[in-house]
Amino acid sequence: MRYETDVTVIGAGGAGMAAALSAHRNGADVILIEREEESGGVLNQCIHNGFGLHYYRKDLTGPEFKETLEEELATTNVKVLEGTFVLDVSKDKKITFVNSKGIHEVKTKALVMTTGARERHFNSLGIPGDRVSGIFTAGVAQKYINLQNLKPANSALIVGSGDIGLIMARRLHLEGIEVKGVVEILPYPGGLERNVQQCLRDYNIPLYLSHSVTRVEGKNRLDKVYVSQIDEAGRIVPNSERVFNVDALITSVGLIPSVKPVEFVRTGPGFITTNTNQTTADWIFAAGNCTVIFDLVDYVAREGEKAGKYAALYAKNEYVPEERITIKKGKNINIIHPSYIDPNESTKLYVRVSKVFQRAEITVEPLGIEIIEEEARPSEMIEIHIKSFKEKRIKEIEVSAHELG
Amino acid sequence: MNLVEYKKKKIICTNCPLGCKINLIYTDADEVEIIEAQGNTCKRGLEFAKQEITDPVRVVVTSVKVEDGEIPMTSVRSDKPVPLRLMEEIMDVIREIKVNAPVVKGDIIVENILNTGANIISTRTVNSRDSKSKEQKKLKENYDG
């Protein structure tokens, strides 16, 4: 089958569904492609609440957030192709995909990549010991418990205190699996403060900051996990070793943006984009966790909505950017998104600082923007709004953070 | 001399992902009274803080078994927060429950759980095993062309 369309969206998670909706609302014919049998991406298994407070002004669970988007999509003529896998995106705007009906090709005017992220795996941590069963990423454990009614362990230790790790600590505990602790190599937790409270402190689950897993042991199935304290220089503190007798190790050690199969645009590691979600190929837009890892699905959906809009305008030749201003990471900034600004459009700038501040002042120069952030931490994304501007002499913008004390 | 003891506590508001850190000075001699609160960015934070030092409440989120469904579980939540101290007991009740497909988002699964005044409601739709294949067939036909 050959198709033609204005906008193709790859990946029907929070970003992709929002992108498809907004491209449709901006007058485009839209095809939305999803490789799973069901749209929604990770929202399907994130059964906890706390989603949608910004985007819908309601406290929703992941499945509720997804069904809300799905209900809106059902009122449109957006073609949703589930169980469909994209094989190739070519430079001449052809997308090849496969599903139960065979191999198809769609000629598109614009593309929105909303392919999300994958979990970093235990094997990338370089931890010595036996290669045994019982080591899961948090997302896999979450899928087993929340969607497949499987109990993956009797007792568990969690490594990495990212949000999924914290959420899974509570989930495992409430399902009767003994959670012996959460081990974090950094001196501060990786997830949101609210999750440290409602997932760990609420149930007296210990958090071992500045600790690292040094070895795993077992015959076929995991049996022992060795953990030691780490000093400021990253060395193991002598005689600080603890042994945890657990049959599962759950890893929550970061997400990696997924950019396949587009290989001819700039990435680092996610898609590099402008404030209008345009990548270095002007017909390809990107949003959500395939660009940078966001804290909230609310941000992801908002970015998707924006990408869908500009992709639709681009398809109609109504959006042609004239210039791009580079945004640079200054002092104490770890992550910045987007990387370029089209100054004719407004910008939501997402920033992560590189260390813990008591009181941080974050500056955007030469635009003269200064914001104060109490207890800024790398794990909590800071959002800065920049209005459109006409100042022609600005060639580069720099974002920095410093301690006010 | 001050007869009432002023207590200090730092509370993380879990109402929303902002997770405001609220520094409280309060008394709890007879009734909980907040003397000073700093760090909350909205009114809900203050109410939360007061609740948190009196009797913390949380929304329950978990899943329930579904018979003859396209997937074996539906996810559920309480439609309002319940006392944290009852969480384990509530989980014990929910763990024993089975419902039959189809389940629709918003369906009440347990009414007034443990007399908390909160209902346990489904947060997703689970079609029954047969209707799923029918519906999919219909959808697939729509995709032709």
Side-chain angles (χ1 to χ4, degrees), chain B residues 63-76:
Chain B
S63 47
V64 162
K65 289 186 199 80
V66 177
E67 297 275 339
D68 297 322
E70 60 189 350
I71 61 164
M73 327 271 288
T74 186
S75 46
V76 299

Side-chain angles (χ1 to χ4, degrees), chain A residues 327-343:
Chain A
I327 310 183
K328 234 176 75 179
K329 281 190 271 189
K331 229 181 159 196
N332 298 322
I333 300 294
N334 208 358
I335 298 238
I336 203 153
H337 180 77
S339 302
Y340 298 98
I341 283 187
D342 169 357

